[in-house]
Amino acid sequence: MSEIILMSDPQVAAVPVHECGEPLVDVRRGPLLVDLRKQDDSDAFFYLREGVLERLLQAQAHLPAGLELLVVEGYRPPALQRRYFEKYAARLRAGQPGWTDEQIRSAASRFVSPPEIAPHSAGAAVDLTLVDADGRELDLGTPMNATPEESAGACYTDAAGISAQARTHRQILGRVLTAVGLVNYPTEWWHWSFGDRYWALATGAASACYGPSRQGAYE
């Protein structure tokens, strides 16, 4: 995957899912720091597939001294994923009234996955960043969840033009997460996943092991 393959690409949807039945577990049970900016009444964002959480704990153990992972969002219910996608698509459509539906869908998928294949709705994806020993977020070049328009493309993981310090922080984050098997969505430096369709395509796995998960599967 030397070129960026977007979530809307038919190659992603074509990956089969062989659901393993692994539960969603509460990230707060362990030592990871969890940010509350995405908190809602359901507490959905606190949850990840068990195997994803285990890998994050392994990744944290390999960070340089004085650095920690900060989890911002994990599981996202399908209805919420659909609202996010449709809202962002509407913004793009307003700004580009001449674009076709397919152009809108493709552009929207740079920032929000189409609902039917969304890694977050499988409990397979996590949005996260790095903090120092005092819990202060490090500079990774853009605020988390900055759109391609807002950041002039600096949200792309390999974007040019960010500071040397931000580049180093992205490399640290990428190194520890890649080492435990997670893959990055290249248009969002903060988005990493394991076991979903995008992960399968990126790694050459024959199938995904996590499909869309029900909110009631929390443990």
Side-chain angles (χ1 to χ4, degrees):
M1 290 178 61
S2 57
E3 296 182 4
I4 293 177
I5 296 178
L6 296 176
M7 289 284 183
S8 61
D9 194 297
Q11 294 179 81
V12 181
V15 174
V17 178
H18 295 152
E19 172 59 54
C20 66
E22 192 175 281
L24 291 163
V25 294
D26 192 335
V27 178
R28 295 168 294 182
R29 293 183 183 178
L32 293 176
L33 295 177
V34 181
D35 188 275
L36 301 180
R37 74 188 74 174
K38 289 283 186 175
Q39 187 171 17
D40 58 21
D41 291 340
S42 72
D43 280 351
F45 84 102
F46 285 125
Y47 290 81
L48 286 168
R49 293 288 188 136
E50 192 171 42
V52 179
L53 177 56
E54 290 172 355
R55 285 168 173 78
L56 292 182
L57 294 174
Q58 295 169 20
Q60 173 142 295
H62 290 94
L63 282 171
L67 298 185
E68 292 188 65
L69 299 174
L70 177 67
V71 174
V72 175
E73 187 173 14
Y75 175 69
R76 189 182 295 159
L80 180 59
Q81 181 71 31
R82 184 170 298 280
R83 288 200 298 273
Y84 282 173
F85 186 81
E86 291 177 351
K87 182 178 180 180
Y88 184 50
R91 286 171 54 188
L92 292 174
R93 190 173 289 108
Q96 301 290 344
W99 282 6
T100 65
D101 288 346
E102 185 53 40
Q103 286 175 307
I104 293 293
R105 177 181 165 84
S106 177
S109 75
R110 297 169 304 160
F111 184 64
V112 186
S113 174
E116 63 275 11
I117 51 91
H120 278 290
S121 295
V126 60
D127 294 341
L128 77 175
T129 188
L130 292 172
V131 296
D132 64 18
D134 295 318
R136 293 186 295 255
E137 290 187 40
L138 302 186
D139 175 18
L140 276 91
T142 74
M144 183 179 287
N145 292 321
T147 68
E149 294 77 27
E150 292 166 343
S151 68
C155 60
Y156 282 49
T157 306
D158 291 332
I162 63 173
S163 70
Q165 183 181 55
R167 174 72 58 206
T168 296
H169 292 157
R170 290 189 187 189
Q171 290 171 344
I172 292 171
L173 183 65
R175 184 170 65 249
V176 298
L177 293 173
T178 300
V180 298
L182 275 72
V183 301
N184 173 242
Y185 189 41
T187 62
E188 301 175 335
W189 60 260
W190 56 84
H191 177 107
W192 293 79
S193 70
F194 175 87
D196 61 290
R197 283 168 160 162
Y198 198 85
W199 165 87
L201 184 64
T203 62
S207 63
C209 56
Y210 302 143
S213 184
R214 294 177 294 103
Q215 187 168 344
Y218 293 173
E219 288 196 353

